[in-house]
Amino acid sequence: MEILKAPPASWDHLVTEPCQTAGFARAMASMGYRPLYLRTADHAALALVRGWAPGIGRLTARANLFAPGAAPEFVGQAIAALGRRGIPHVKVGDTMWGLRWGCVPAGWAFPRTRLIQRHTFVLDLEQPEAALLKSMDGAERKIRKAEREGVVGRPVETADDLRAFCDLSKATSDRVRTRWAYTDFPSPFFES
């Protein structure tokens, strides 16, 4: 298992999902994560590390390992390699990019592993728009309200568009945070 602090030039061709790309790693670095790039001859994964401090890394370090669709053998090798680097806690995946295992594989070397079931919602975009809207509670009313208020969606194509989006995102985050716990992404995430 090779662990690199910077992605090799061919990295994005080795990985299978957007959450493993060098661009995603750069974006997450803007939020305080330190990316590590793990690979073998057949597989690659991205680890995002937080909380590692010299001397006390073993007490505080945590990694999130992105290896969607990876075989248990590779994931086990990656967890062991991160452990040898002083990272005692590894979470594999998140709510969108987890593994497809239903249970811990036989012979799994990490007895304190806990599988957390996740649910992925799939929206069939082949359906007519009316059918899609009917299945979403209140969607038509909310869309009509947004149209009356002049809300228009368009792609971000320029630096000014990105700045306007980030300003809107921050204002929305600030407003939502007054009512609920909420994690937002800072402007450098979107810029990366």
Side-chain angles (χ1 to χ4, degrees), residues 79-136:
I79 292 170
L82 291 169
R84 287 190 296 274
R85 289 191 79 126
I87 300 169
H89 181 90
V90 178
K91 179 176 112 178
V92 181
D94 62 12
T95 58
M96 292 180 60
W97 303 103
L99 299 171
R100 291 173 177 80
W101 307 347
C103 59
V104 175
W108 186 246
F110 307 97
R112 294 179 52 204
T113 297
R114 184 170 49 120
L115 284 184
I116 300 172
Q117 185 177 14
R118 64 187 181 90
H119 302 279
T120 301
F121 298 94
V122 178
L123 184 60
D124 180 6
L125 297 178
E126 296 293 321
Q127 295 182 49
E129 185 176 339
L132 291 171
L133 291 172
K134 185 177 180 181
S135 67
M136 294 186 275

Side-chain angles (χ1 to χ4, degrees), residues 22-109:
F24 183 75
R26 279 192 308 277
M28 293 304 286
S30 73
M31 296 178 58
Y33 289 93
R34 182 173 50 102
L36 294 174
Y37 303 86
L38 295 84
R39 69 179 181 182
T40 62
D42 301 320
H43 301 286
L46 172 66
L48 299 172
V49 181
R50 271 190 122 158
W52 189 90
I56 61 169
R58 282 203 164 274
L59 301 173
T60 59
R62 296 184 176 281
N64 195 355
L65 181 68
F66 289 95
E73 297 77 26
F74 174 76
V75 174
Q77 290 173 3
I79 292 170
L82 291 169
R84 287 190 296 274
R85 289 191 79 126
I87 300 169
H89 181 90
V90 178
K91 179 176 112 178
V92 181
D94 62 12
T95 58
M96 292 180 60
W97 303 103
L99 299 171
R100 291 173 177 80
W101 307 347
C103 59
V104 175
W108 186 246

